[in-house]
Amino acid sequence: MTTRRTFLKASSAIYPATILTPLAAKAQSTYQAPKTFQRDYFKEIGVTPLINAAGGYSAFGGARMRPEVAEAIRYGTYNKAKVDDLHDAVGKRIAELAQTEAAMVPSGATAAMVLSTAACMTMGDKGKIEQLPDTTGLKNEVIIQKNHRYTYDRALIVAGAVLVEVADEDELRKAIGPKTAMMFWLLANHNPDGDSINMETYLAIAKEHNISTYLDGATMTPPASNVIDACNLGFDLVGFSGGKGLRGPYSTGLLLGKKDLVAYARANSSPNSRSLGRGMKVAPEEYIGMMIAFETALGINEKEDFARKRTIFSRMSDQMKNVPSLKQNVIVDEGMVNELYLDLDWDRSIIKMSNEEFIQELKAGNPSIRFRALKFAGGRIHVSSTALDEGQEIIVGKRINEVLMNRV
Ligand SMILES: *Cc1c(COP(=O)(O)O)cnc(C)c1O
């Protein structure tokens, strides 16, 4: 398990792609997902499949579920139980695994934010729950640091709350009042603006005024033990995506923390028909899928998993080793999220192709292969193995070789 100190530090290391550690690929799952199917649905309806070399991005279908998760989902489609009973039991098990008071499975990290805001505004009051998103007479302000404003913060106003931006400790103290429902914190691996208020101070001020706190840690896995660490930071509620680094079902997440607040979040959600979150429904089989995804992810030995990913990159690299000027380095991103990427770079005077052209050409090809130029890495191309199926690394390497050699 990572300690809080390593959890909060951020650094990265670079290694040549060809150097391999001798660790065997033991982290590979024991189950094998079926590769052949009776019908090809994509083909039947004219959908172009893609190979995702970019990572677990929502637009590309999220992460690849481990076979254990697919198996759990299959179980859940056959075996039925009362949804609330199932959710109680799944929540209890997830809370045990995360070593925290309580947990639920929302339909993603976004839903976790909506439901948590609703929870903090209504505190289990049935009348208030049914009143949302009308917040007349309710505490309806969510405090957020200016630096923490981001794409997903709309989720904080969906339930009817308004955002109150603060830039420093002084502004924070002034912003707190009788209308304050929740104080929000964004935990990110690459937050360019950083935190303008120190986390300990933020939490201490919240405690002083008895205000509930929420931490968005959506992308802060792997390792899955980061979920445990995040629960120990001192926030009342913590949210994660299920379909990103935890490799659970696409439309799931984790909401963990204080028992009463998690219960209030659930009261604002499906299957409660009169709740704001009724539409943020999670299938019963996905509850089990998320639980098993978390359990499986916690059991992954990080060193072995890194060794497995290095092997994948090494096989990929072999396919393009003759491309002149192509530099291939395995980058170890050792922030809160520990992840390996294959960084690609070439001499533009030898291979006349820009990163953007590279991305477009591989996207347009057959098979279509998706990459992303990473903003936090200065627009460089980082290949991710997270969403690749076994053997796809060879196809990807061969296509990159072809595309680049064409421009030499
Ligand atoms: C992806 C993301 C979310 C939304 O997660 P979903 O599980 O897709 O709803 C929220 N916050 C951050 C920081 C994210 O990266």
Side-chain angles (χ1 to χ4, degrees):
M1 199 189 309
T2 29
T3 64
R4 178 150 174 221
R5 199 152 38 79
T6 59
F7 180 58
L8 288 172
K9 89 173 184 329
S11 64
S12 64
I14 299 175
Y15 304 93
T18 43
I19 295 181
L20 275 179
T21 56
L23 260 175
K26 268 188 285 182
Q28 192 62 271
S29 299
T30 42
Y31 296 96
Q32 280 301 317
K35 296 280 166 57
T36 54
F37 298 90
Q38 293 191 3
R39 286 172 63 180
D40 189 343
Y41 309 110
F42 277 16
K43 202 167 178 181
E44 287 176 24
I45 58 173
V47 172
T48 310
L50 60 80
I51 292 178
N52 180 2
Y57 295 102
S58 299
F60 299 149
R64 181 173 288 278
M65 285 193 294
R66 290 191 164 93
E68 289 89 340
V69 181
E71 176 73 358
I73 287 177
R74 206 168 66 84
Y75 177 98
T77 60
Y78 285 107
N79 298 284
K80 293 296 176 189
K82 189 155 180 287
V83 170
D84 272 331
D85 294 347
L86 174 62
H87 202 176
D88 285 347
V90 163
K92 186 165 170 276
R93 175 81 181 124
I94 290 172
E96 282 164 9
L97 289 168
Q99 300 162 36
T100 188
E101 271 184 34
M104 67 170 285
V105 178
S107 63
T110 311
M113 288 159 71
V114 178
L115 298 180
S116 296
T117 320
C120 293
M121 291 193 296
T122 57
M123 300 302 264
D125 183 307
K126 197 161 174 286
K128 289 177 181 170
I129 288 170
E130 293 184 8
Q131 180 190 318
L132 290 181
D134 173 5
T135 59
T136 312
L138 272 60
K139 292 184 178 196
N140 70 340
E141 292 177 359
V142 173
I143 294 179
I144 185 170
Q145 287 182 62
K146 256 198 183 80
N147 288 356
H148 288 194
R149 293 296 312 267
Y150 71 133
T151 323
Y152 296 97
D153 64 24
R154 290 201 75 185
L156 297 167
I157 60 170
V158 166
V162 292
L163 289 180
V164 178
E165 270 187 21
V166 296
D168 54 37
E169 192 182 325
D170 195 41
E171 281 188 26
L172 171 60
R173 288 189 182 278
K174 284 192 187 119
I176 293 173
K179 283 278 188 190
T180 311
M182 191 172 94
M183 284 168 61
F184 172 86
W185 187 278
L186 170 66
L187 194 62
N189 219 24
H190 301 277
N191 184 353
D193 301 323
D195 313 319
S196 51
I197 307 166
N198 151 304
M199 189 190 280
E200 277 77 15
T201 310
Y202 196 80
L203 285 167
I205 295 174
K207 198 157 202 166
E208 203 180 293
H209 294 87
N210 202 20
I211 293 163
S212 304
T213 48
Y214 183 88
L215 176 98
D216 179 13
T219 50
M220 295 296 102
T221 58
S225 58
N226 277 355
V227 174
I228 300 170
D229 291 342
C231 287
N232 282 327
L233 286 174
F235 290 86
D236 297 315
L237 288 168
V238 176
F240 278 86
S241 283
K244 291 177 180 166
L246 291 171
R247 300 183 59 182
Y250 183 77
S251 51
T252 60
L254 292 177
L255 176 59
L256 316 108
K258 288 270 166 357
K259 201 168 181 170
D260 53 349
L261 290 174
V262 171
Y264 303 157
R266 270 187 63 181
N268 278 283
S269 185
S270 180
N272 179 4
S273 312
R274 300 183 75 90
S275 70
L276 178 108
R278 179 63 167 87
M280 299 168 208
K281 202 154 68 171
V282 173
E285 57 270 25
E286 290 177 319
Y287 287 132
I288 308 186
M290 182 66 247
M291 176 180 80
I292 295 305
F294 186 38
E295 181 195 274
T296 310
L298 282 171
I300 296 290
N301 176 318
E302 242 197 314
K303 275 208 178 105
E304 286 175 8
D305 200 44
F306 267 28
R308 185 182 64 81
K309 286 177 176 169
R310 267 176 205 283
T311 309
I312 291 172
F313 285 141
S314 163
R315 283 196 216 121
M316 190 185 290
S317 292
D318 269 352
Q319 308 303 316
M320 37 188 183
K321 59 175 185 281
N322 295 326
V323 180
S325 88
L326 178 64
K327 282 203 278 297
Q328 308 181 50
N329 285 310
V330 172
I331 302 222
V332 185
D333 193 356
E334 287 175 327
M336 289 171 263
V337 178
N338 290 341
E339 193 51 290
L340 288 187
Y341 298 98
L342 180 64
D343 177 88
L344 298 180
D345 199 16
W346 56 89
D347 185 335
R348 266 59 180 180
S349 68
I350 295 172
I351 301 168
K352 289 157 201 79
M353 186 175 236
S354 69
N355 280 359
E356 200 40 49
E357 284 173 299
F358 173 89
I359 290 169
Q360 288 308 324
E361 196 153 320
L362 279 139
K363 174 187 166 187
N366 183 19
S368 176
I369 305 174
R370 304 304 294 263
F371 297 88
R372 271 177 79 147
L374 292 191
K375 237 188 252 165
F376 72 75
R380 296 172 72 87
I381 297 196
H382 282 187
V383 183
S384 164
S385 68
T386 300
L388 287 180
D389 197 5
E390 218 184 304
Q392 286 184 330
E393 69 275 11
I394 305 289
I395 303 170
V396 172
K398 283 197 163 121
R399 271 297 292 158
I400 295 176
N401 180 69
E402 197 172 67
V403 164
L404 292 178
M405 287 303 264
N406 268 340
R407 299 286 188 100
V408 172

